[in-house]
Amino acid sequence: MATPAAFWDGIAETYASKPVENPEAFERKIAITRALMTPESVVLDVGCGTGSLALRLAASGAHIHGLDISSEMNRIAKEKARAAGVQNVTFHCGPFDAAFDRFDAESLDGVCAYSILHLLEDHHAALAQMYRLLKPGGFFVSSTVCLGQKRYLYGPVLWVMRMFGKAPMVKLLTANALADDIGAAGFVDVAQPDVGAQSEVAFITARKPS
């Protein structure tokens, strides 16, 4: 069974060429995230993949940092940034915990966790760490695949796909439980704006108390 980094390295080119499944919902998510930013914002995009979100946010903040475990995803993201002439985005390669070696506590204005929380072994610990990195009043935005309400359908399928190297480890979360977990981590104003995403995708915004 491939490591997480090897799995994502192996599909990086395919992932980069694949169109967004629901572009209208993605645009609404970006608009909501941008509205939380200021021209001075320093934002971390955790699990940035090939950099699509980070590059879209670049014009709305001072600096965007992208972090991903895949070196191939990281390479593609850097190539996209160079091709677009975007200079205020820095892509870092490493596991999720690497964020806490690179950034000080209360040093970020925002943290984005798009399509990552369901891929982490311990999303509770991750939420606590992201909370710690945010300045008071900083924002948190996540978009998470939540298959928990259909675990009897998806669980066996994902298990078989993972055995054959066709899927990563996926935690079967539910949207409401995830929102509760975000609140339990200390975040306030936890909301689930309707962006027209698929029912299996939970889009959640929150902030660290001022």
Side-chain angles (χ1 to χ4, degrees):
M1 189 181 302
T3 64
F7 174 82
W8 294 108
D9 283 346
I11 68 166
E13 291 288 352
T14 301
Y15 183 92
S17 63
K18 186 179 178 180
V20 177
E21 290 187 5
N22 190 334
E24 293 82 6
F26 186 53
E27 291 300 323
R28 294 185 190 104
K29 294 174 189 177
I30 291 174
I32 289 171
T33 305
R34 281 176 164 172
L36 297 170
M37 298 171 62
T38 71
E40 293 76 35
S41 292
V42 177
V43 177
L44 172 62
D45 179 16
V46 179
C48 65
T50 58
S52 297
L53 175 64
L55 294 172
R56 290 292 303 277
L57 298 180
S60 298
H63 204 96
I64 312 299
H65 293 274
L67 174 67
D68 200 274
I69 197 172
S70 167
S71 59
E72 280 300 296
M73 295 277 194
N74 198 260
R75 176 186 62 79
I76 294 169
K78 290 177 178 178
E79 289 177 355
K80 289 166 65 173
R82 283 194 293 270
V86 177
Q87 298 182 343
N88 67 327
V89 175
T90 303
F91 291 107
H92 310 273
C93 185
F96 176 73
D97 288 347
F100 315 115
D101 297 326
R102 299 179 187 274
F103 304 101
D104 295 328
E106 299 191 351
S107 65
L108 299 172
D109 299 289
V111 173
C112 297
Y114 277 50
S115 301
I116 185 64
L117 292 179
H118 61 293
L119 301 176
L120 300 176
E121 290 286 353
D122 188 348
H123 71 280
H124 299 93
L127 288 168
Q129 294 284 26
M130 288 186 275
Y131 181 91
R132 185 175 68 85
L133 291 177
L134 282 170
K135 297 176 182 177
F139 70 85
F140 173 72
V141 180
S142 69
S143 181
T144 308
V145 175
C146 291
L147 305 177
Q149 295 206 12
K150 298 180 180 178
R151 64 178 61 250
Y152 297 109
L153 171 64
Y154 288 108
V157 173
L158 287 168
W159 185 86
V160 172
M161 291 179 67
R162 192 179 181 205
M163 289 301 101
F164 285 92
K166 300 298 183 182
M169 185 283 298
V170 177
K171 294 189 73 174
L172 301 180
L173 306 173
T174 66
N176 289 337
L178 179 57
D180 289 344
D181 291 341
I182 291 171
F187 291 96
V188 296
D189 298 340
V190 180
Q192 298 186 54
D194 182 4
V195 293
Q198 301 95 318
S199 60
E200 295 85 4
V201 177
F203 183 68
I204 301 175
T205 62
R207 68 177 178 85
K208 184 174 183 175
S210 299

